Structures are given as structure tokens and as C-alpha cells.
Amino acid sequence: MTSPVPGQPGQPSSNSPKPALGGEATEAVQRALAAEHAAEWSYSLVSVLVAKDMEKVVATGAAQRRTRRETVERMLRDAGATPVPPQPAYQPPRPVTDAASAAELLVTAETDAAGAWRAVLERTDDQGLRQFALDALTAAAVQATRVRRAARQAPLTVPFPGQPG
Amino acid sequence: MTSEPSRPGPLPRRRFLLAGVLAMAAAPLAAACTATSPPPPGPDPLEPLAARARADAALARAVADALGGAGQDLAQAANAVAAHRKAHAEAFDQEIRRARPGTGAATPPPASSDAPPPPPPPTAAAAKTALADALKAAEQEARALVPTAPRHRAGLLGSVTASCLSLREVLA
């Protein structure tokens, strides 16, 4: 989804996180952080477009994102890694012009975040990190359901949130 | 700010979607785990989860059937619970079989799905409570295994936990 707009200077991938979490786990957490950045950006993009009955859902989602993102950045720094920075802008899969396309973007962002956090679960044996990733995965799934319901989109749920494919 | 990123202008190149990248990364991982983790002795810890998922699906199906056209929101929710919990049971069964190829015992008897459906709760409110309670128990059971499960199972268990929680959100 919200892939970074290409051609922006000073972007990550030049970061080389130190393997204090374990290289594979750190890489997965960095990808999850990138998904969190994209989601946070999505929430700020749609905040002016959503219908009245979605405002609360969007505000809650945006606040959750911010808190989680800050925690992940701190976690990475504590592990000796440099957290990936946000992109200046992202490319939504579809133009965001109204409440329906705004909700769609949020669902895509939450789905991406769920996938990234599930990938963390599969790349670490650290119980604390697994707990954190599980909470992030469940929060993304529940938030996607809330957005779908507020936007009257069906179905409200998927059987395996975060599962690739 | 609001219009610039959404403009469908020509992009010099397209990047892989994040989900696609993760999917590709996950495939070899699952394959690798198959070879490296011999099953521990005793019953597979996923077996009670598979049984619970089947029971929940049967309960939800009974609720949906009993409601018929009435209580549309609840009927829709019950249908979703039935479909998702059935999918969970199948995914657990598949993983149990994968971990112990050739052990027929790991495969639950197919008769369990032919068992008479449980009687639906007498009222819509009772049905809703019964479904919510079942989902809560299922969520807690899956959640409890996440910290210590083998990596490839931790992902599945996490998704099932998240699914049960979002189904409860629908019922709420």
C-alpha cells in the first residue's frame, strides 16, 4: 500500500541496525516501524476527509499509532539500532478523495501494520518482543474492524489478520 | 499536502507493496522450520485449540440458523464467527498434520463436524453472550501460547488471537 513516494532524498535503507535484538528481529521491527510511520501519515492525511461518525475512530487510531511508534523507536534505540525515519509522503494505492476512499486507506494501513507485526512474531524468540508484537497485531486488527464498521464496509473482519497473501 | 500524495501522476517506478515483500520473506521461513523442529512427544498443544475452534464454529452456526432473518446484525456476526472459527480449526489441523506427518491420530476425527449442532441459546441476548464468552476463551487460549510457540506457529497464533478479538469487537 502506502509505498514511499520515490525520489525523496535522505531515505532509510542506508541504516544498518546493530543486531542487539538479533539481526532478523531488528529488521522485522524496523519494517513494522516503517508500516507504523505509513499508518500515522495515513491518519493525518484522512483526518480532514472522514465523515462525522468516523472522527472518533480516526482520532483514537491516530493517538494509538503515535504512542506505539514512539515506543518502537525507543525500543530500537535501546537495542542500539537507529529507528527508520518516516518518509515525507507516501503513495496511497488509490486517490484519497472522500470518506470512503479515506476509510479504505486506513484499512490498508492497518492491514499492512498487522502483517508487519505478525512477521515480527515469526522472527523472534524474545518473549517481551513477541508480547509487544502480539499487542500491536491485535490492535491493528481491531482498529481495522472499527474503521470498516464506521465506514459501513463489509465484511468487518478477516479470519487471519496479518497473514500474508 | 492533501492532494499531492494522492495525485495519480506517473511514477517513475513502482515499489513492491510492503505486504508482498513480507509474504515472500515468510515463505522460506516456514519451509526452514519444517526441517529444523522435530515434534515434541505427547499430544500437539494446538489440538485443544483446534477442538475449541470447531466447537465455536458449531455454536455460531447454530445461533445464525436459529436467528434466521431476525436480528440481522447478530446473525451477520454469528456467520462471521462460524466462518472464521472454521478457518482457524482448519489452519490448526493443517499445522498439526504438518508437524507430524503420517500420524493419523493428530488428525481429529471428521465425525466431530457431523456431530449434532449444539442447541442455540434461548434468546438473542444469551446467544450474543455465549458467542462473546467463547471468543474470549479462544483468544486467551491462543494468546497464552504465543510467547513460547515455535516461530512459525507464533504468527498463526497471533493472527487467531487478533481475529477472535476483532470478532468480539463486532459483537460489542
Side-chain angles (χ1 to χ4, degrees):
Chain A
M1 78 134 234
T2 45
S3 43
V5 171
Q8 303 285 354
Q11 287 327 305
S13 75
S14 56
N15 279 321
S16 45
K18 295 172 192 68
L21 278 174
E24 199 185 20
T26 305
E27 219 169 277
V29 172
Q30 293 278 28
R31 275 195 233 189
L33 176 57
E36 292 291 332
H37 283 316
E40 207 175 345
W41 179 88
S42 301
Y43 275 98
S44 67
L45 174 74
V46 305
S47 57
V48 295
L49 285 167
V50 293
K52 202 86 187 152
D53 47 358
M54 256 187 83
E55 275 174 7
K56 198 171 160 234
V57 173
V58 168
T60 311
Q64 275 181 359
R65 292 260 88 86
R66 202 158 40 242
T67 309
R68 177 161 299 113
R69 190 252 306 156
E70 286 167 0
T71 309
V72 177
E73 287 175 338
R74 202 165 45 240
M75 189 196 297
L76 282 163
R77 273 194 288 268
D78 288 350
T82 307
V84 293
Q87 307 284 338
Y90 296 81
Q91 180 72 44
R94 273 201 334 123
V96 177
T97 52
D98 56 11
S101 52
E104 207 177 305
L105 174 65
L106 295 184
V107 169
T108 308
E110 295 292 354
T111 303
D112 280 2
W117 285 112
R118 172 166 158 153
V120 173
L121 281 180
E122 293 173 329
R123 282 163 182 76
T124 185
D125 298 318
D126 182 278
Q127 297 196 5
L129 180 54
R130 278 202 189 176
Q131 191 58 58
F132 186 87
L134 177 64
D135 290 344
L137 164 57
T138 53
V142 168
Q143 181 64 12
T145 294
R146 286 179 182 155
V147 170
R148 289 189 194 103
R149 181 160 58 191
R152 296 182 178 78
Q153 289 179 356
L156 293 173
T157 51
V158 295
F160 299 99
Q163 181 167 276
Chain B
M1 164 62 185
T2 48
S3 62
E4 196 278 330
S6 333
R7 192 176 299 144
L11 291 174
R13 64 202 163 94
R14 296 195 71 82
R15 299 199 178 199
F16 279 111
L17 306 184
L18 177 61
V21 174
L22 292 172
M24 286 189 296
L29 178 80
C33 291
T34 312
T36 53
S37 47
D44 193 304
L46 291 185
E47 277 172 25
L49 279 72
R52 184 188 288 279
R54 270 189 297 277
D56 290 352
L59 170 68
R61 176 62 48 222
V63 168
D65 290 349
L67 284 167
Q72 219 182 12
D73 280 357
L74 182 56
Q76 271 177 11
N79 274 321
V81 174
H84 290 0
R85 293 299 282 152
K86 182 165 177 275
H88 296 166
E90 286 164 1
F92 286 139
D93 287 347
Q94 195 183 349
E95 168 56 21
I96 291 167
R97 278 195 302 272
R98 188 204 60 78
R100 298 174 197 215
T103 350
T107 313
S112 61
S113 56
D114 301 331
T123 64
K128 197 169 174 172
T129 306
L131 287 176
D133 288 351
L135 288 168
K136 186 168 190 182
E139 178 212 323
Q140 286 170 345
E141 195 175 28
R143 183 185 285 276
L145 293 184
V146 169
T148 52
R151 290 184 178 193
H152 62 288
R153 287 190 172 188
L156 172 62
L157 289 162
S159 287
V160 169
T161 304
S163 171
C164 291
L165 203 62
S166 34
L167 286 168
R168 266 171 70 203
E169 179 70 23
V170 173
L171 282 170

